[in-house]
Amino acid sequence: MQASDIEVAVELDMSLGESPVWSVARRTLHWVDINRGKIHAWRPEAGAPPETIALEEKVGCIAFCEGGLLAAMASGIVRLPFGGTPQRLAANPEWRGEGGGNRFNDGRCDAAGRLWVGTIDADETNPTAALYRFDDGELTPCLTDIGISNGLAFSPDGRWLYHTDSLTRRILRYPFDLASGTLGAGETWVDLQTLGLPGVPDGAAVDGEGCYWSALYDGGRVVRFSPDGELMAEHEVPCPHPTMVAFGGADLRTLYITTATQHLDAEGKRRWPLAGSLFSLPAPVAGLAEPAWRT
């Protein structure tokens, strides 16, 4: 593992930080704390703490839409206009209200403006979750028999969709037709067991060279893979549970890293006092601007 240039961007105590997305227009990083139902917004150049809004339920991921954010909450997909009234767009077919069920988890938009969002098995052990495409007001299941849907990203040329079921410790890639939003047969692209890497593949992002960056939850690092699936770099994070990465900053060459405290006991929190914070790392190349959802 190479020497790490990772620094604390914002010191926090998030339970499950996730889904960082950078707004080029607003020069703002948005991300969520899933378990606490919070969305954070932070402008690095402002020199002020993040602004936070609290929702009434867990929120798995966010994406941009015209004039606001799209939030995949536990019970469904909600549009959150900046300064406006929330609008529910779709119900989560795997949610059972107060009885629980599978909540939404990782997701992002493709270059055509469709939202892809997966669910997570309520017990995090069984293949009861799925990956959905949200387009024209409809949720269409595209992958099923998943335990924890994660690691969703697209190659810069739009030819590949990357995805992982974190329980398998494998990252798969699927031939992707951007025009129709359909997937071909998946293939194992990276196997953490074969590479001897610790942890499980969690959230991810792709850079301008088509390399895939993955946060290894319980592995204490973020890793970079070439388009051919070759391990190119490992960067140690000063806590065991990095959750997702995103490119931001004026030149999209800052890699932001969300982290979690949810599986740390009192001794773990003493050992890793910065766990739950937002970290940053200078990236060797620029990332890609995050697409927005289109109605």
Side-chain angles (χ1 to χ4, degrees), residues 9-36:
V10 181
E11 189 169 343
L12 295 167
D13 182 30
M14 293 184 289
S15 173
L16 182 52
E18 272 281 8
S19 191
V21 288
W22 175 264
S23 169
V24 173
R26 296 167 63 89
R27 296 189 178 185
T28 300
L29 185 75
H30 301 262
W31 71 94
V32 307
D33 186 340
I34 292 178
N35 292 336
R36 293 176 179 150

mmCIF file of all heavy atoms in Angstrom, residues 9-36:
data_model
loop_
_atom_site.group_PDB
_atom_site.id
_atom_site.type_symbol
_atom_site.label_atom_id
_atom_site.label_comp_id
_atom_site.label_asym_id
_atom_site.label_seq_id
_atom_site.Cartn_x
_atom_site.Cartn_y
_atom_site.Cartn_z
ATOM 1 N N ALA A 9 -11.389 16.314 5.583
ATOM 2 C CA ALA A 9 -12.032 17.471 4.953
ATOM 3 C C ALA A 9 -13.014 18.120 5.921
ATOM 4 O O ALA A 9 -13.024 19.337 6.098
ATOM 5 C CB ALA A 9 -12.744 17.060 3.669
ATOM 6 N N VAL A 10 -13.860 17.293 6.541
ATOM 7 C CA VAL A 10 -14.812 17.760 7.549
ATOM 8 C C VAL A 10 -14.858 16.710 8.655
ATOM 9 O O VAL A 10 -15.189 15.550 8.387
ATOM 10 C CB VAL A 10 -16.226 17.953 6.968
ATOM 11 C CG1 VAL A 10 -17.171 18.472 8.053
ATOM 12 C CG2 VAL A 10 -16.218 18.901 5.775
ATOM 13 N N GLU A 11 -14.523 17.110 9.868
ATOM 14 C CA GLU A 11 -14.574 16.174 10.985
ATOM 15 C C GLU A 11 -16.022 16.024 11.446
ATOM 16 O O GLU A 11 -16.676 16.991 11.825
ATOM 17 C CB GLU A 11 -13.701 16.650 12.137
ATOM 18 C CG GLU A 11 -13.545 15.609 13.235
ATOM 19 C CD GLU A 11 -12.480 15.962 14.254
ATOM 20 O OE1 GLU A 11 -11.642 16.840 13.962
ATOM 21 O OE2 GLU A 11 -12.483 15.347 15.333
ATOM 22 N N LEU A 12 -16.513 14.785 11.379
ATOM 23 C CA LEU A 12 -17.903 14.482 11.722
ATOM 24 C C LEU A 12 -17.953 13.172 12.499
ATOM 25 O O LEU A 12 -16.928 12.503 12.674
ATOM 26 C CB LEU A 12 -18.753 14.358 10.449
ATOM 27 C CG LEU A 12 -18.944 15.612 9.593
ATOM 28 C CD1 LEU A 12 -19.519 15.231 8.231
ATOM 29 C CD2 LEU A 12 -19.861 16.598 10.299
ATOM 30 N N ASP A 13 -19.143 12.821 12.925
ATOM 31 C CA ASP A 13 -19.370 11.557 13.620
ATOM 32 C C ASP A 13 -20.547 10.846 12.950
ATOM 33 O O ASP A 13 -21.527 10.495 13.594
ATOM 34 C CB ASP A 13 -19.650 11.818 15.102
ATOM 35 C CG ASP A 13 -19.844 10.524 15.890
ATOM 36 O OD1 ASP A 13 -19.235 9.507 15.505
ATOM 37 O OD2 ASP A 13 -20.633 10.525 16.857
ATOM 38 N N MET A 14 -20.446 10.650 11.641
ATOM 39 C CA MET A 14 -21.543 10.029 10.914
ATOM 40 C C MET A 14 -21.689 8.559 11.275
ATOM 41 O O MET A 14 -20.696 7.852 11.447
ATOM 42 C CB MET A 14 -21.320 10.164 9.403
ATOM 43 C CG MET A 14 -21.390 11.589 8.892
ATOM 44 S SD MET A 14 -21.221 11.685 7.084
ATOM 45 C CE MET A 14 -19.480 11.261 6.866
ATOM 46 N N SER A 15 -22.923 8.107 11.356
ATOM 47 C CA SER A 15 -23.168 6.692 11.571
ATOM 48 C C SER A 15 -22.871 5.905 10.298
ATOM 49 O O SER A 15 -22.149 4.913 10.322
ATOM 50 C CB SER A 15 -24.621 6.465 11.999
ATOM 51 O OG SER A 15 -24.915 5.081 12.067
ATOM 52 N N LEU A 16 -23.434 6.366 9.172
ATOM 53 C CA LEU A 16 -23.200 5.701 7.886
ATOM 54 C C LEU A 16 -23.197 6.742 6.777
ATOM 55 O O LEU A 16 -24.192 6.937 6.076
ATOM 56 C CB LEU A 16 -24.265 4.622 7.628
ATOM 57 C CG LEU A 16 -24.137 3.791 6.355
ATOM 58 C CD1 LEU A 16 -22.757 3.171 6.223
ATOM 59 C CD2 LEU A 16 -25.215 2.712 6.300
ATOM 60 N N GLY A 17 -22.093 7.460 6.655
ATOM 61 C CA GLY A 17 -21.937 8.418 5.568
ATOM 62 C C GLY A 17 -21.906 7.689 4.244
ATOM 63 O O GLY A 17 -21.303 6.615 4.130
ATOM 64 N N GLU A 18 -22.549 8.265 3.235
ATOM 65 C CA GLU A 18 -22.633 7.610 1.922
ATOM 66 C C GLU A 18 -23.003 8.622 0.846
ATOM 67 O O GLU A 18 -23.333 9.767 1.119
ATOM 68 C CB GLU A 18 -23.693 6.502 1.933
ATOM 69 C CG GLU A 18 -23.202 5.127 2.381
ATOM 70 C CD GLU A 18 -22.445 4.376 1.296
ATOM 71 O OE1 GLU A 18 -22.169 4.981 0.235
ATOM 72 O OE2 GLU A 18 -22.132 3.188 1.507
ATOM 73 N N SER A 19 -22.972 8.169 -0.386
ATOM 74 C CA SER A 19 -23.495 8.851 -1.569
ATOM 75 C C SER A 19 -22.992 10.285 -1.739
ATOM 76 O O SER A 19 -23.791 11.201 -1.955
ATOM 77 C CB SER A 19 -25.038 8.843 -1.540
ATOM 78 O OG SER A 19 -25.571 9.258 -2.775
ATOM 79 N N PRO A 20 -21.683 10.522 -1.704
ATOM 80 C CA PRO A 20 -21.201 11.876 -2.002
ATOM 81 C C PRO A 20 -21.354 12.186 -3.489
ATOM 82 O O PRO A 20 -21.021 11.362 -4.343
ATOM 83 C CB PRO A 20 -19.728 11.812 -1.592
ATOM 84 C CG PRO A 20 -19.348 10.367 -1.780
ATOM 85 C CD PRO A 20 -20.576 9.584 -1.439
ATOM 86 N N VAL A 21 -21.878 13.370 -3.802
ATOM 87 C CA VAL A 21 -22.018 13.819 -5.192
ATOM 88 C C VAL A 21 -21.635 15.295 -5.247
ATOM 89 O O VAL A 21 -22.053 16.086 -4.405
ATOM 90 C CB VAL A 21 -23.444 13.603 -5.749
ATOM 91 C CG1 VAL A 21 -23.718 12.131 -5.990
ATOM 92 C CG2 VAL A 21 -24.503 14.174 -4.806
ATOM 93 N N TRP A 22 -20.842 15.651 -6.238
ATOM 94 C CA TRP A 22 -20.336 17.023 -6.369
ATOM 95 C C TRP A 22 -21.114 17.784 -7.423
ATOM 96 O O TRP A 22 -21.246 17.330 -8.567
ATOM 97 C CB TRP A 22 -18.857 17.001 -6.739
ATOM 98 C CG TRP A 22 -18.269 18.367 -7.003
ATOM 99 C CD1 TRP A 22 -18.113 18.977 -8.218
ATOM 100 C CD2 TRP A 22 -17.783 19.292 -6.033
ATOM 101 N NE1 TRP A 22 -17.554 20.218 -8.057
ATOM 102 C CE2 TRP A 22 -17.336 20.447 -6.721
ATOM 103 C CE3 TRP A 22 -17.667 19.270 -4.637
ATOM 104 C CZ2 TRP A 22 -16.787 21.550 -6.072
ATOM 105 C CZ3 TRP A 22 -17.126 20.380 -3.987
ATOM 106 C CH2 TRP A 22 -16.693 21.492 -4.703
ATOM 107 N N SER A 23 -21.634 18.951 -7.051
ATOM 108 C CA SER A 23 -22.299 19.831 -7.994
ATOM 109 C C SER A 23 -21.280 20.799 -8.580
ATOM 110 O O SER A 23 -20.742 21.648 -7.857
ATOM 111 C CB SER A 23 -23.421 20.610 -7.299
ATOM 112 O OG SER A 23 -23.905 21.638 -8.143
ATOM 113 N N VAL A 24 -21.023 20.679 -9.878
ATOM 114 C CA VAL A 24 -20.084 21.580 -10.545
ATOM 115 C C VAL A 24 -20.628 23.009 -10.520
ATOM 116 O O VAL A 24 -19.898 23.966 -10.246
ATOM 117 C CB VAL A 24 -19.831 21.117 -11.990
ATOM 118 C CG1 VAL A 24 -18.985 22.130 -12.748
ATOM 119 C CG2 VAL A 24 -19.146 19.746 -12.000
ATOM 120 N N ALA A 25 -21.906 23.164 -10.786
ATOM 121 C CA ALA A 25 -22.501 24.499 -10.854
ATOM 122 C C ALA A 25 -22.512 25.201 -9.507
ATOM 123 O O ALA A 25 -22.231 26.399 -9.409
ATOM 124 C CB ALA A 25 -23.922 24.405 -11.408
ATOM 125 N N ARG A 26 -22.810 24.448 -8.449
ATOM 126 C CA ARG A 26 -22.920 25.043 -7.120
ATOM 127 C C ARG A 26 -21.630 24.955 -6.317
ATOM 128 O O ARG A 26 -21.538 25.500 -5.220
ATOM 129 C CB ARG A 26 -24.053 24.360 -6.343
ATOM 130 C CG ARG A 26 -25.430 24.572 -6.949
ATOM 131 C CD ARG A 26 -26.463 23.634 -6.330
ATOM 132 N NE ARG A 26 -26.649 23.883 -4.906
ATOM 133 C CZ ARG A 26 -27.519 24.751 -4.400
ATOM 134 N NH1 ARG A 26 -28.280 25.461 -5.227
ATOM 135 N NH2 ARG A 26 -27.656 24.895 -3.104
ATOM 136 N N ARG A 27 -20.633 24.237 -6.869
ATOM 137 C CA ARG A 27 -19.362 24.016 -6.159
ATOM 138 C C ARG A 27 -19.612 23.496 -4.752
ATOM 139 O O ARG A 27 -19.019 23.961 -3.772
ATOM 140 C CB ARG A 27 -18.530 25.301 -6.131
ATOM 141 C CG ARG A 27 -18.091 25.777 -7.501
ATOM 142 C CD ARG A 27 -17.104 26.907 -7.409
ATOM 143 N NE ARG A 27 -16.665 27.324 -8.730
ATOM 144 C CZ ARG A 27 -15.728 28.244 -8.955
ATOM 145 N NH1 ARG A 27 -15.144 28.846 -7.921
ATOM 146 N NH2 ARG A 27 -15.379 28.560 -10.182
ATOM 147 N N THR A 28 -20.481 22.515 -4.691
ATOM 148 C CA THR A 28 -20.944 21.990 -3.410
ATOM 149 C C THR A 28 -20.908 20.474 -3.425
ATOM 150 O O THR A 28 -21.285 19.848 -4.421
ATOM 151 C CB THR A 28 -22.382 22.467 -3.127
ATOM 152 O OG1 THR A 28 -22.403 23.895 -3.079
ATOM 153 C CG2 THR A 28 -22.905 21.912 -1.807
ATOM 154 N N LEU A 29 -20.466 19.903 -2.320
ATOM 155 C CA LEU A 29 -20.531 18.459 -2.146
ATOM 156 C C LEU A 29 -21.746 18.133 -1.286
ATOM 157 O O LEU A 29 -21.938 18.714 -0.215
ATOM 158 C CB LEU A 29 -19.266 17.927 -1.469
ATOM 159 C CG LEU A 29 -19.189 16.404 -1.348
ATOM 160 C CD1 LEU A 29 -18.862 15.782 -2.708
ATOM 161 C CD2 LEU A 29 -18.152 15.974 -0.314
ATOM 162 N N HIS A 30 -22.561 17.227 -1.789
ATOM 163 C CA HIS A 30 -23.715 16.729 -1.035
ATOM 164 C C HIS A 30 -23.446 15.267 -0.682
ATOM 165 O O HIS A 30 -22.872 14.522 -1.480
ATOM 166 C CB HIS A 30 -24.992 16.819 -1.870
ATOM 167 C CG HIS A 30 -25.336 18.196 -2.327
ATOM 168 N ND1 HIS A 30 -26.260 18.995 -1.684
ATOM 169 C CD2 HIS A 30 -24.890 18.914 -3.385
ATOM 170 C CE1 HIS A 30 -26.375 20.145 -2.311
ATOM 171 N NE2 HIS A 30 -25.552 20.128 -3.355
ATOM 172 N N TRP A 31 -23.898 14.847 0.493
ATOM 173 C CA TRP A 31 -23.810 13.437 0.858
ATOM 174 C C TRP A 31 -24.832 13.153 1.947
ATOM 175 O O TRP A 31 -25.487 14.069 2.465
ATOM 176 C CB TRP A 31 -22.397 13.051 1.290
ATOM 177 C CG TRP A 31 -21.938 13.604 2.615
ATOM 178 C CD1 TRP A 31 -22.006 13.004 3.842
ATOM 179 C CD2 TRP A 31 -21.320 14.889 2.846
ATOM 180 N NE1 TRP A 31 -21.480 13.824 4.803
ATOM 181 C CE2 TRP A 31 -21.041 14.979 4.228
ATOM 182 C CE3 TRP A 31 -20.974 15.952 2.018
ATOM 183 C CZ2 TRP A 31 -20.445 16.106 4.799
ATOM 184 C CZ3 TRP A 31 -20.375 17.073 2.580
ATOM 185 C CH2 TRP A 31 -20.108 17.141 3.956
ATOM 186 N N VAL A 32 -24.994 11.871 2.296
ATOM 187 C CA VAL A 32 -26.009 11.482 3.267
ATOM 188 C C VAL A 32 -25.371 10.772 4.461
ATOM 189 O O VAL A 32 -24.263 10.242 4.373
ATOM 190 C CB VAL A 32 -27.075 10.562 2.635
ATOM 191 C CG1 VAL A 32 -27.663 11.184 1.380
ATOM 192 C CG2 VAL A 32 -26.521 9.172 2.325
ATOM 193 N N ASP A 33 -26.102 10.781 5.561
ATOM 194 C CA ASP A 33 -25.853 9.876 6.679
ATOM 195 C C ASP A 33 -27.086 8.984 6.716
ATOM 196 O O ASP A 33 -28.148 9.379 7.200
ATOM 197 C CB ASP A 33 -25.678 10.645 7.990
ATOM 198 C CG ASP A 33 -25.278 9.737 9.157
ATOM 199 O OD1 ASP A 33 -25.494 8.509 9.054
ATOM 200 O OD2 ASP A 33 -24.761 10.251 10.162
ATOM 201 N N ILE A 34 -26.960 7.792 6.160
ATOM 202 C CA ILE A 34 -28.114 6.933 5.923
ATOM 203 C C ILE A 34 -28.918 6.692 7.193
ATOM 204 O O ILE A 34 -30.132 6.915 7.245
ATOM 205 C CB ILE A 34 -27.670 5.586 5.313
ATOM 206 C CG1 ILE A 34 -27.136 5.778 3.896
ATOM 207 C CG2 ILE A 34 -28.844 4.589 5.300
ATOM 208 C CD1 ILE A 34 -26.636 4.500 3.241
ATOM 209 N N ASN A 35 -28.244 6.192 8.231
ATOM 210 C CA ASN A 35 -28.952 5.756 9.429
ATOM 211 C C ASN A 35 -29.651 6.898 10.159
ATOM 212 O O ASN A 35 -30.669 6.671 10.830
ATOM 213 C CB ASN A 35 -27.988 5.055 10.382
ATOM 214 C CG ASN A 35 -27.485 3.742 9.840
ATOM 215 O OD1 ASN A 35 -28.134 3.120 8.994
ATOM 216 N ND2 ASN A 35 -26.327 3.296 10.295
ATOM 217 N N ARG A 36 -29.114 8.108 10.040
ATOM 218 C CA ARG A 36 -29.711 9.246 10.743
ATOM 219 C C ARG A 36 -30.638 10.066 9.856
ATOM 220 O O ARG A 36 -31.191 11.067 10.297
ATOM 221 C CB ARG A 36 -28.600 10.127 11.319
ATOM 222 C CG ARG A 36 -27.831 9.419 12.439
ATOM 223 C CD ARG A 36 -26.679 10.230 12.946
ATOM 224 N NE ARG A 36 -25.984 9.513 14.023
ATOM 225 C CZ ARG A 36 -24.686 9.615 14.295
ATOM 226 N NH1 ARG A 36 -23.939 10.449 13.570
ATOM 227 N NH2 ARG A 36 -24.151 8.928 15.278
#
